[in-house]
Amino acid sequence: MAPPGSDPVLDAAFFRRWLTALAAAVEREADRLTDLDAAIGDADHGSNMLRGFRAVSAALDTDAPATPGAVLVLAGRQLVSTVGGASGPLYGTLLRRAGKALGDAEEVDRERLREALRAGVDAVAQLGGAAPGDKTMLDALVPAVDALDDSFAAGAEAAGKGAVATVPLRARKGRASYLGERSIGHQDPGATSSALIFTTLAEVAR
């Protein structure tokens, strides 16, 4: 645990703890993610994320990347290869692009992680052709990365608020957009799973 008011050492071990905690969070929240997706999507977001993060957890158990960047690239590769639909490529792109941005550094600080995640989020936006306000994962990811400038806790809070803020939005991207006005009133499952990324990051960083 880091001393009060300070960030922990962000090395490969920290990133493995983060992703392991994230896999456990996905395990706990899979049914909720599927329920959210059942209202406006294919009802498979929870099961897809569960399969992907189980693969991430197994890969981290058998491999021990030496740098934070390598941990994220390994995890992203697992998501791309095991998660179907849009979630695998999008989350895989997020982690792989962030990992590549971190390069070979053995330790990074919060600012460098924020910039790496920003590069990952920009890649997700480009891949999906979406922007904040479209009722997608970006509605949680973008404010979370911005808030990381203050603290890990601020990033988690911003991600959670971003996910909730998708409820009154009309979906403009993905399968939910086919519903038009009927997509209003439902929380976006992708924004919800994106919030888990920052919630677990803040928990591990305490």
Side-chain angles (χ1 to χ4, degrees):
M1 181 179 292
S6 66
D7 291 334
V9 175
L10 306 183
D11 56 8
F14 173 87
F15 279 73
R16 287 197 298 272
R17 291 197 299 276
W18 172 24
L19 292 178
T20 299
L22 179 54
V26 169
E27 195 89 32
R28 291 193 303 272
E29 296 290 329
D31 287 346
R32 178 174 177 243
L33 295 175
T34 290
D35 288 345
L36 291 173
D37 197 31
I40 58 173
D42 294 329
D44 60 0
H45 189 56
S47 57
N48 281 340
M49 294 294 285
L50 191 58
R51 183 170 57 255
F53 276 94
R54 281 176 175 171
V56 169
S57 190
L60 292 174
D61 283 343
T62 57
D63 196 352
T67 65
V71 172
L72 293 183
V73 169
L74 173 65
R77 198 162 56 233
Q78 292 299 316
L79 294 178
V80 169
S81 62
T82 59
V83 180
S87 299
L90 291 171
Y91 278 112
T93 293
L94 173 67
L95 297 184
R96 287 197 303 178
R97 188 62 61 90
K100 289 178 181 177
L102 292 177
D104 296 327
E106 293 185 357
E107 294 181 11
V108 299
D109 58 18
R110 176 159 43 85
E111 180 178 355
R112 187 161 179 183
L113 175 57
R114 174 171 57 85
E115 290 309 311
L117 288 171
R118 189 182 303 284
V121 170
D122 288 346
V124 167
Q126 184 174 19
L127 180 63
D134 285 344
K135 199 179 181 90
T136 72
M137 58 197 289
L138 291 176
D139 289 305
L141 293 176
V142 170
V145 170
D146 289 343
L148 276 186
D149 191 38
D150 294 330
S151 67
F152 288 114
E157 182 177 359
K161 288 182 177 177
V164 172
T166 62
V167 172
L169 298 178
R170 174 177 172 167
R172 292 197 288 260
K173 291 291 178 182
R175 187 174 179 81
S177 66
Y178 302 158
L179 297 178
E181 295 288 337
R182 286 182 292 135
S183 66
I184 295 173
H186 301 282
Q187 185 165 319
D188 182 67
T192 305
S193 57
S194 292
L196 289 179
I197 294 175
F198 289 88
T199 300
T200 53
L201 175 60
E203 290 172 351
V204 173
R206 268 185 211 148

